[in-house]
Amino acid sequence: MNDDLEPLLVEVRASTSDFRADIESMRASVDSSLVGGFEKAGSVLERGLLGAIRRGSLGFDDLKQVALRA
């Protein structure tokens, strides 16, 4: 009985390690995309806030416009 199960266990382990590698690859891809998006949004928000401070207008409408652009 053990002789019949051993090849199946080896196949399941191999499939699991391939699946794990695929998941790690996808995770790395998504993580790098999200980080870049957050950095871009943060830069837009920062520029908008700095511009509002320089102009002397920092009302809620200005904040809303900056947030919507981000």
Side-chain angles (χ1 to χ4, degrees):
M1 178 98 174
N2 282 343
D3 293 336
D4 295 333
L5 290 177
E6 191 169 328
L8 292 173
L9 289 173
V10 169
E11 184 177 338
V12 168
R13 287 185 184 131
S15 296
T16 302
S17 66
D18 290 342
F19 179 72
R20 182 181 299 134
D22 290 343
I23 293 296
E24 288 174 2
S25 173
M26 286 188 291
R27 181 180 293 155
S29 174
V30 169
D31 286 348
S32 65
S33 298
L34 286 176
V35 169
F38 287 141
E39 286 176 355
K40 185 176 179 181
S43 295
V44 169
L45 186 60
E46 182 180 15
R47 281 193 309 270
L49 290 173
L50 287 174
I53 290 170
R54 285 188 198 111
R55 288 189 314 269
S57 63
L58 194 58
F60 287 111
D61 289 333
D62 294 327
L63 291 175
K64 176 182 170 185
Q65 288 175 357
V66 169
L68 289 175
R69 276 187 259 143

